[in-house]
Amino acid sequence: MFGKKSGSGRASSFRREAPPVVSASSTDAQSATDMSSRPSEAPGEQMIALSKPEATQPTEEQRRGYYAQKNEITAALMGVVDLPQLASMPRDEAELELKSVINDIVASRQYVMSTSEQERLSRTICDDVLGYGPLEPLLARDDIADIMVNGAGQVFIETDGRIQLTKIRFRDNQQLLEICQRMVSQVGRRVDEASPICDARLLDGSRVNVIAPPLSIDGPSLTIRKFRKEKLRMADLVRFQSISSAGAKLLEIAGACRTNILISGGTGSGKTTLLNCLSGFAADDERIVTCEDSAELQLQQPHVVRLETRPPNIEGQGEITMRSLVKNCLRMRPERIIVGEVRGPEAFDLLQAMNTGHDGSMGTLHANSPREALSRVESMITMGGYALPSKTIREMIASAVNVIVQAQRLRDGSRRITHMTEIVGMEGDTIVTQDLLRFEVTGEGPDGKLIGRHVGGGVGQPQFYERARAYGKAEQLNAVLAELDSGG
């Protein structure tokens, strides 16, 4: 499809008529590969493993030779194909066409390489042209939670709660910056010296943060928080031992009864995953409006409106804040409002929504305990410039929020739901809470994994019991609390 080839009889407008001859020293070639791979190795395969002292590393001469050869092929490719038209094709079809042209270039220049070497080289060039270069194999792996790139020479991943160093390397910081720009441009964002900080997302919903020089001293820093391709449900959290089956039933009742829920936890504790699971208990006939900095929620209902903030442009104009989104969604006839992350004065507007008929609203925030989450909400409201007495703000919180669910990443790397705390009311100037569920650590296994169990808080009748009875779930709620109190 890229042009008439010898013996193929195929022709296409994707191939330009006169491909230029470009030397290996061309500086216009767009290329990317793993510096730790030999020319005969498959970039993106062996390099994912942890660095081992006994592993044979390619010499500098081998690296230079590989880059020179790859640069020459890539530069010739850029002169042959029409990238804008190629980008409109499905990825699999575009890869087949690119590999066909690469084979022609290798044959015409009489490079000496085996079929497997040529296939591996073609694959890395396709990743460079159509994807994210050396990061492609990492993005394809579903067992990786985070990808952390600290300049061109260091790429870390997190698997099973542990951070590991990979062998993946970029050619240089310029190549890394080009890949970062490609990522953020897909959602209308930009990153350069004028705008060196950027939050964005990949097309699959994975969260992306880029901070570029001059703010990042050792080259661009790229952090990708990956999300699984399949949507996790509460049953999956039970299977992962993040919550017991009885605790999952309690969360299901709270979600189905349209209690207002805040999910608190530290970075990487699983707040967004838990929010996705809790949203699954909303009825299919409910209209849900979500507000996020970068759209990453994967709600499971058919009637969902997704809103996303917008950063200012290069002139500093056009910013749409989270607070603007929350205020606007009140005019969109929502039945539930879900805020991806509450981190500023939008907390006041969310509480107002919870207090004005939008039952079942949810949000996440950073806090290390349910009690600290209440203090954080109060602080965020104060940040908005509201001259309200502390008691008034606490009364607003107590009347708006029903349940706080605490997620935590423990020291062994496991993610657990450690508390489900209910807000009972006010006693003087203090918000009164009670634990419906908590996680107790009982020991440590030989593999370093913590052993524990979810137990009840000994609450006879929770505050939202009447709400549960209105939804026909009172008996189920009593049974679940009894099971938790008995250590189930």
Side-chain angles (χ1 to χ4, degrees), residues 62-101:
Q62 287 176 319
R63 290 194 182 104
R64 285 198 302 266
Y66 179 73
Y67 284 138
Q69 190 177 75
K70 186 164 178 279
N71 285 353
E72 186 173 355
I73 295 175
T74 306
L77 183 69
M78 294 300 100
V80 172
V81 300
D82 190 335
L83 286 182
Q85 294 188 47
L86 188 70
S88 64
M89 299 170 59
R91 173 70 185 260
D92 292 343
E93 184 178 345
E95 282 190 4
L96 289 176
E97 301 297 349
L98 277 179
K99 288 180 180 179
S100 175
V101 179

Side-chain angles (χ1 to χ4, degrees), residues 265-286:
T267 300
S269 59
K271 300 186 297 298
T272 303
T273 299
L274 180 55
L275 183 58
N276 278 324
C277 294
L278 286 175
S279 70
F281 302 129
D284 288 343
D285 59 351
E286 294 182 20

Side-chain angles (χ1 to χ4, degrees), residues 352-417:
Q352 291 283 73
M354 290 177 170
N355 268 324
T356 53
H358 301 90
D359 295 335
S361 295
M362 304 178 190
T364 71
L365 74 159
H366 283 83
N368 294 322
S369 68
R371 176 60 62 178
E372 185 179 328
L374 297 175
S375 300
R376 285 269 296 151
V377 173
E378 184 177 349
S379 299
M380 288 186 286
I381 293 176
T382 305
M383 288 166 53
Y386 296 102
L388 298 174
S390 294
K391 184 176 182 180
T392 302
I393 296 176
R394 291 170 187 170
E395 288 174 346
M396 183 186 304
I397 296 172
S399 61
V401 181
N402 301 119
V403 174
I404 299 174
V405 181
Q406 181 72 32
Q408 188 173 343
R409 182 164 61 174
L410 303 180
R411 57 183 170 86
D412 64 349
S414 63
R415 295 172 173 86
R416 303 293 178 96
I417 298 172

Side-chain angles (χ1 to χ4, degrees), residues 25-200:
S25 60
S26 170
T27 58
D28 296 329
Q30 177 187 2
S31 63
T33 190
D34 175 17
M35 292 182 62
S36 65
S37 297
R38 298 188 181 192
S40 62
E41 289 179 333
E45 294 179 358
Q46 299 297 329
M47 60 188 181
I48 297 179
L50 294 181
S51 299
K52 297 180 180 180
E54 65 273 14
T56 303
Q57 297 294 326
T59 65
E60 188 62 30
E61 183 179 355
Q62 287 176 319
R63 290 194 182 104
R64 285 198 302 266
Y66 179 73
Y67 284 138
Q69 190 177 75
K70 186 164 178 279
N71 285 353
E72 186 173 355
I73 295 175
T74 306
L77 183 69
M78 294 300 100
V80 172
V81 300
D82 190 335
L83 286 182
Q85 294 188 47
L86 188 70
S88 64
M89 299 170 59
R91 173 70 185 260
D92 292 343
E93 184 178 345
E95 282 190 4
L96 289 176
E97 301 297 349
L98 277 179
K99 288 180 180 179
S100 175
V101 179
I102 292 171
N103 291 340
D104 284 353
I105 295 173
V106 171
S108 65
R109 294 172 183 263
Q110 299 182 348
Y111 290 126
V112 179
M113 61 178 66
S114 66
T115 303
S116 60
E117 290 172 343
Q118 186 170 330
E119 173 62 26
R120 293 163 183 168
L121 182 64
S122 298
R123 185 167 65 243
T124 60
I125 293 177
C126 288
D127 287 342
D128 297 343
V129 175
L130 302 173
Y132 303 126
L135 296 180
E136 282 289 323
L138 298 184
L139 293 171
R141 286 178 54 179
D142 208 30
D143 62 324
I144 296 177
D146 291 273
I147 302 173
M148 295 150 281
V149 183
N150 306 333
Q154 279 189 333
V155 179
F156 290 87
I157 60 174
E158 181 191 320
T159 57
D160 298 326
R162 301 291 186 181
I163 295 179
Q164 304 173 351
L165 176 65
T166 72
K167 293 184 180 180
I168 289 182
R169 303 292 182 269
F170 292 82
R171 183 187 72 245
D172 51 32
N173 285 328
Q174 181 59 35
Q175 183 212 352
L176 174 56
L177 183 58
E178 290 171 358
I179 290 177
C180 293
Q181 290 169 338
R182 188 181 307 171
M183 286 183 174
V184 303
S185 64
Q186 291 184 330
V187 290
R189 307 285 171 97
R190 53 188 290 270
V191 57
D192 49 35
E193 287 190 6
S195 179
I197 299 178
C198 181
D199 286 312

Side-chain angles (χ1 to χ4, degrees), residues 424-471:
V424 178
M426 292 285 295
E427 214 174 79
D429 291 344
T430 305
I431 299 176
V432 180
T433 63
Q434 59 183 9
D435 289 337
L436 303 179
L437 168 76
R438 65 178 181 273
F439 179 72
E440 292 183 347
V441 177
T442 58
E444 185 173 337
D447 56 353
K449 294 291 185 180
L450 296 178
I451 302 173
R453 60 175 186 165
H454 288 88
V455 298
V459 177
Q461 184 170 302
Q463 191 73 10
F464 67 92
Y465 178 83
E466 291 300 324
R467 182 185 291 272
R469 186 165 66 175
Y471 281 84

